[in-house]
Amino acid sequence: MKRRVAPVRVEAAVHPVAVLAAVAAGAGLLTWFASGRSKRLDLAFTGGDAPPSEGRSYAPRGSAVTASAAQRLNHASSMLAASVLFDSGLEHYRGQFFNRAMYTPIIVSSVTLAASLHGAGDTDPGSSRVRHGVQALAGLTGLIGFGFHAYNVGKREGGYSFQNLFYSAPIGAPMALTLAGILGVVAERVRDADAEAPRLAGLPAGPALALATAGMLAGTTLEAGLLHFRGAFQNPAMYIPVSLPPLAAALLARAAAKPAGASQASAKWGMWAVSAMGVGGVAFHAYGVARMMGGWGNWRQNLIDGPPLPAPPSFSGVALGGLAALELLEHRSFRF
C-alpha cells in the first residue's frame, strides 16, 4: 500500500513591522508629491528684476535671509522628525504595539519628515499649505502623545514617582514631534512674512524664535537628564547633554536681547557645539549598546533595551532652529 503524504503548504509570512514601514514610506511619498514642486530661488538675487513670487514685494537681501532661515528650519524639523520616526518605532516595537494608537507617531513622523525635506529643497519665499498642514498635525499629535505617556506613568502603582518616570513610557519623548511641527510651521510663516521685518505672532521673528528655541533646548535637556540620571551618569560624557545645551540656550536668550544686526558669534558657536553633540551622542549610544551582554552580536535585543540611538539628534535639530533664529537676528544668511 502506498502511503499518502499530506501536501506541504507554503505560506509567505510578512512581518507586521514591514507592513508598517511600507505604509509609512507610502504616506511620506504621497505627502512629498502633494506638497508641490520645489522652486529654486537665486539667493544672490540683487534686484533689478521682478521679485520671484508674484503678488508680493520682497527686499532682495531680505528675501535671501528669510528663505535661507526657512530652509534651515526645515532641516531642523527634518532631523527631529527622523529622530521621532526611528525612536518611536523602536520603543513601540518593544511595547509590541499593544495599543493601536502606538502606530500613529510612526505614520505622522514619516509624513512630517517628507514635508520638511521637501521644504528644505524649496527656497521660494512663499509657503505651502500642504506642508503647513502636515507640520500643524505633527505638533498636535505630539501633544496628544504626551498626554498618553503622562497617563501611562500616572496609572501605575506609585503614580508619578521616579521609578515610574524611569521605566514607563518616556514622558517627554512625544514632545520631540511637537517641536518638529512647531519648527516646520515657523518655517512656512517665515517664508510668507515681510522680508524686511519678519514677524511671528505679532513679535519680531528673530528674538521670538531665539527665545522659543532656548526653551526647546531646556525641555530637551530635562528629558535627557532624567534618563541619564537613571543611568547614574556612569560615564562622564553623560554630563555633556545636561550642561552644554543650557549654556547654549542662555547664549541664545542673550542674543535675542542684542540690537538687530549685532554679531552673534558666541551664540552661533554654541548652537554648532550642541548640533555636533547630538551627532556625537549617536556614537556614544552605539558604544553603550556594544557594552551590553552580547554587544552588537546580539543587536536585535540590545538595540531595543540599550541606549536609544535615534534620540541624541533631537538636540541637533533644535540647535539648527537656533541657527535659523540667529540668521534672522543678524539679517544675513550664513553657512558654517
Side-chain angles (χ1 to χ4, degrees), residues 199-223:
R199 302 180 74 83
L200 295 171
L203 301 172
L209 181 58
L211 292 174
T213 308
M216 294 177 188
L217 279 174
T220 308
T221 301
L222 288 174
E223 176 70 9

Side-chain angles (χ1 to χ4, degrees), residues 89-112:
L90 282 174
E91 293 293 331
H92 289 181
Y93 176 71
R94 182 174 66 176
Q96 297 298 305
F97 295 96
F98 72 92
N99 187 326
R100 291 187 179 182
M102 296 169 75
Y103 293 103
T104 306
I106 299 174
I107 304 297
V108 174
S109 60
S110 67
V111 299
T112 304

Side-chain angles (χ1 to χ4, degrees), residues 41 45 48-59 63 125:
L41 170 68
F45 173 82
D49 298 325
S53 288
E54 297 179 1
R56 298 187 181 92
S57 178
Y58 292 95
S63 61

Side-chain angles (χ1 to χ4, degrees), residues 254-278:
R254 178 173 172 267
K258 288 185 178 181
S263 175
Q264 307 287 1
S266 59
K268 201 180 302 180
W269 280 107
M271 291 301 103
W272 281 118
V274 172
S275 182
M277 180 204 75

Side-chain angles (χ1 to χ4, degrees), residues 129-308:
R129 291 183 178 179
V130 173
R131 290 198 306 257
H132 194 287
V134 167
Q135 303 291 2
L137 174 65
L140 179 61
T141 303
L143 289 175
I144 295 173
F146 174 77
F148 271 108
H149 282 211
Y151 171 73
N152 179 274
V153 174
K155 76 177 183 179
R156 290 171 174 255
E157 186 175 352
Y160 292 97
S161 62
F162 274 112
Q163 181 74 12
N164 289 337
L165 286 172
F166 287 157
Y167 297 107
S168 61
I171 192 168
M175 291 304 294
L177 185 55
T178 295
L179 298 185
I182 289 174
L183 292 175
V185 167
V186 171
E188 300 305 314
R189 294 291 177 87
V190 167
R191 274 191 170 89
D192 224 18
D194 179 2
E196 292 185 343
R199 302 180 74 83
L200 295 171
L203 301 172
L209 181 58
L211 292 174
T213 308
M216 294 177 188
L217 279 174
T220 308
T221 301
L222 288 174
E223 176 70 9
L226 179 67
L227 297 179
H228 285 191
F229 179 66
R230 183 185 70 179
F233 293 96
Q234 57 181 324
N235 188 320
M238 295 172 74
Y239 287 100
I240 298 176
V242 297
S243 57
L244 178 58
L247 175 61
L251 292 173
L252 194 58
R254 178 173 172 267
K258 288 185 178 181
S263 175
Q264 307 287 1
S266 59
K268 201 180 302 180
W269 280 107
M271 291 301 103
W272 281 118
V274 172
S275 182
M277 180 204 75
V279 175
V282 178
F284 276 104
H285 281 205
Y287 172 68
V289 172
R291 291 181 68 246
M292 299 184 70
M293 184 176 293
W296 282 98
N298 187 29
W299 62 269
R300 290 180 179 174
Q301 180 70 27
N302 290 341
L303 272 181
I304 295 175
D305 295 332

Side-chain angles (χ1 to χ4, degrees), residues 114-130:
S116 298
L117 288 174
H118 185 278
D122 187 0
T123 56
D124 185 72
S127 63
S128 164
R129 291 183 178 179
V130 173

